[in-house]
Amino acid sequence: MAIRDDFEVVASQVRTVVQRFALGLLVIVTFGVMLVGKADTVLVEHARVLALDMVSPVLEAIARPVAYANRAIADLREFASLREENARLREENARLLAWQTAARRLENENVGLRSLARFREGPEASFITARLVGDSVSAYMRGALLNVGRRVGVAAGQAVVTGEGLAGRIAEVGENSSRVLFVTDVNSRLPVLVERTRERAILAGDNSPRLRLTLLPSIAGVQTGDRIITSGHGGSFPVGIPVGEVVEATDGSVRVRPFTDFSRLEFVRVVDYGVTGLAGTGMPAPVAAPPGVRVR
Amino acid sequence: MRADSTLAILDRWGRAALPGTVLLFFVLLTLAPLRAPYLSDALPLLPILVVFQFSLATPERLPGPLLVLMGILLDLLLGGPGAPVGISALGFILVRAAVIGNRRYLVGVPFLFQWIGFCILCWGYVALVWAFTTLWMWTAIDPVPAMLQYIVVIVIYPLLAPLLARVRARDPLNVPELSRGSARPGETST
């Protein structure tokens, strides 16, 4: 009996101690986790990918109804301006048809000139279409989660594009999921060209909706309205994907508005350009499998 | 000790698991592409709201280690390259500790004061995460998005908190032993 009492006394003392220092212990644990994350980035990468793969089916289940609701709201909003929209589109269509004729003529001419000059085209790009299943947008990060991964050939460093232009690049890849880092993220640095002057520069994000053009040889040559395209330096991106247009060119800084509307992204295409700039893993050509659908 | 029926056991398990499950759901919801146009790009910090509200209502069902796990999961899922993993966990347990430490005052007061308490604690959380991330990544991070997130979440609080507060324990005094925090029986205010 006495032993049992003693035991209970000790147990309650231990419990009191643990309760008293529980907060301190937990704080130490979180700091430990942070330090481990700082020291062993590979481990954290693996943990991230594992977590992504685990939650992406759940997120997809959440994302679908949300996407429907968003689309319904957008539809309602568009009904109001249907007539003007129609007129505008008809006008634009006429203009684009003229462009199409010009493009066809130029393409024919290009093909002819290329065969004359024996010009070797770069690697053919193929696309993997993906659905955005999650936002990876916080106060410190601009990105998204995609429902395609290594299994359909997504690799880190590949370009992610929309119909309007470049959205970002693949930062992390899981088996069936991947994370895009948008061009607006503070960690994004993109080699670009000013389309009109062919000047090289680096396009840097800073988590705001506007991008910053840095390392430009001469700021004087840039005007408001200039289109910015990818330069293809670094190897993983195709040349000439439109990124944005210059909206502000003062002496100190050049600001670029991205063409992609990040607030209503739903589907994106991952450009598989054959070569990835980041450490060629020598991956065999993957076979197309749902949900990633290879085009072309 | 009476023998519990299956239903009672299920009920108890369900009650025990509810706060954790709700927190997990809100952690995942933070990633769902629900976009409030024109408001902010980032989703409000709903997990911190859940942590606050459940620490107030039933802290014994939302233990510290669970919060650490949830915080790490949130950081893993949200964080970009270089962002510290575990900072949300630290924020969560500090908020929980602060709520439990002041539980005796927070439980009894009118809703408005709970809201003010949340505003203060959430401010601390946002400031902590922002300062830590900035130091950790050693880049100047624009604090405006974090501030917008903060404002959105404190505006949402009155809408969501009464709903979450309904999970309170069914106890005569509504304060189970473990929920009293640091208070000892007979102890007056420190």
Side-chain angles (χ1 to χ4, degrees):
Chain A
M1 201 63 190
I3 296 172
R4 205 179 137 198
D5 281 353
D6 280 352
F7 178 75
E8 270 175 10
V9 167
V10 171
S12 77
Q13 275 171 352
V14 167
R15 207 177 302 133
T16 319
V17 169
V18 167
Q19 267 171 9
R20 180 164 305 161
F21 295 109
L23 180 64
L25 282 175
L26 289 175
V27 168
I28 291 169
V29 166
T30 56
F31 270 101
V33 169
M34 276 190 263
L35 284 177
V36 167
K38 191 77 175 171
D40 192 349
T41 40
V42 178
L43 183 75
V44 172
E45 254 351 66
H46 279 300
R48 276 189 203 286
V49 165
L50 192 70
L52 273 185
D53 267 347
M54 276 194 311
V55 302
S56 77
V58 183
L59 281 176
E60 202 168 345
I62 300 178
R64 256 168 217 217
V66 169
Y68 284 132
N70 279 352
R71 212 177 302 149
I73 292 169
D75 281 352
L76 277 179
R77 208 174 282 159
E78 272 163 20
F79 271 135
S81 55
L82 215 53
R83 188 179 285 272
E84 294 121 71
E85 185 77 3
N86 248 339
R88 198 181 60 75
L89 284 178
R90 213 169 283 140
E91 204 174 291
E92 193 174 307
N93 199 20
R95 204 155 37 92
L96 288 179
L97 276 176
W99 272 108
Q100 195 191 35
T101 321
R104 283 228 178 95
R105 190 172 53 75
L106 286 174
E107 199 183 339
N108 284 338
E109 202 177 308
N110 248 337
V111 168
L113 289 175
R114 267 187 195 146
S115 67
L116 273 178
R118 301 237 166 81
F119 176 74
R120 197 172 147 272
E121 183 90 72
E124 188 86 353
S126 65
F127 297 103
I128 302 161
T129 306
R131 176 194 279 276
L132 250 78
V133 291
D135 271 358
S136 186
V137 174
S138 69
Y140 314 102
M141 155 108 195
R142 295 286 178 274
L145 309 179
L146 304 182
N147 67 342
V148 293
R150 203 172 292 125
R151 194 164 290 171
V152 291
V154 176
Q158 286 174 346
V160 177
V161 299
T162 63
E164 294 110 44
L166 186 76
R169 67 178 165 83
I170 299 287
E172 289 157 19
V173 192
E175 203 54 44
N176 276 316
S177 62
S178 49
R179 191 199 300 275
V180 195
L181 196 69
F182 289 155
V183 285
T184 47
D185 187 87
V186 73
N187 283 305
S188 167
R189 300 284 179 278
L190 185 69
V192 290
L193 285 177
V194 181
E195 197 179 47
R196 191 172 51 83
T197 60
R198 313 308 289 182
E199 264 186 306
R200 288 185 205 172
I202 298 287
L203 197 61
D206 58 0
N207 279 0
S208 70
R210 300 279 164 85
L211 305 163
R212 229 160 7 95
L213 203 60
T214 57
L215 299 180
L216 199 67
S218 68
I219 281 179
V222 182
Q223 294 169 3
T224 308
D226 275 353
R227 276 161 60 93
I228 304 293
I229 58 175
T230 55
S231 72
H233 293 110
S236 61
F237 279 28
V239 188
I241 305 177
V243 184
E245 65 175 343
V246 176
V247 287
E248 188 189 319
T250 51
D251 343 313
S253 68
V254 180
R255 285 287 178 169
V256 175
R257 181 185 64 81
F259 287 131
T260 307
D261 180 3
F262 292 103
S263 64
R264 43 170 65 187
L265 279 185
E266 200 179 328
F267 290 98
V268 292
R269 287 189 301 173
V270 182
V271 183
D272 183 2
Y273 193 46
V275 282
T276 40
L278 303 167
T281 45
M283 210 175 323
V287 188
V293 183
R294 287 182 154 243
V295 186
R296 211 162 78 168
Chain B
M1 200 74 187
R2 69 202 153 78
D4 282 342
S5 69
T6 323
L7 213 61
I9 294 171
L10 267 183
D11 179 59
R12 219 172 43 227
W13 275 81
R15 276 169 182 286
L18 184 68
T21 314
V22 171
L23 181 58
L24 180 65
F25 175 74
F26 276 94
V27 165
L28 292 182
L29 198 69
T30 312
L31 287 124
L34 307 157
R35 297 184 191 86
Y38 318 119
L39 198 56
S40 76
D41 293 333
L43 215 78
L45 296 160
L46 294 180
I48 192 64
L49 200 161
V50 178
V51 168
F52 176 86
Q53 199 56 36
F54 283 158
S55 297
L56 197 61
T58 65
E60 74 286 348
R61 283 190 260 159
L62 203 60
L66 181 70
L67 284 185
V68 171
L69 281 183
M70 290 293 171
I72 291 174
L73 179 69
L74 180 66
D75 282 341
L76 282 178
L77 291 176
L78 261 189
V85 174
I87 179 64
S88 302
L90 180 65
F92 284 177
I93 56 172
L94 289 183
V95 165
R96 178 177 190 268
V99 172
I100 291 177
N102 297 294
R103 206 158 173 273
R104 275 164 294 163
Y105 316 111
L106 278 172
V107 165
V109 295
F111 181 76
L112 181 67
F113 289 91
Q114 290 183 357
W115 191 9
I116 291 172
F118 177 70
C119 291
I120 295 168
L121 279 179
C122 190
W123 172 264
Y125 173 84
V126 169
L128 174 84
V129 173
W130 181 82
F132 223 92
T133 312
T134 307
L135 285 178
W136 205 260
M137 294 168 78
W138 205 245
T139 43
I141 296 171
D142 188 10
V144 173
M147 287 300 103
L148 279 177
Q149 256 186 335
Y150 170 70
I151 291 167
V152 172
V153 78
I154 60 171
V155 169
I156 286 179
Y157 181 81
L159 305 177
L160 208 55
L163 204 68
L164 296 177
R166 298 181 69 115
V167 300
R168 229 177 271 127
R170 271 201 206 139
D171 195 82
L173 282 170
N174 217 350
V175 186
E177 177 77 34
L178 272 165
S179 315
R180 289 196 197 111
S182 55
R184 301 262 162 277
E187 185 198 39
T188 50
S189 64
T190 43

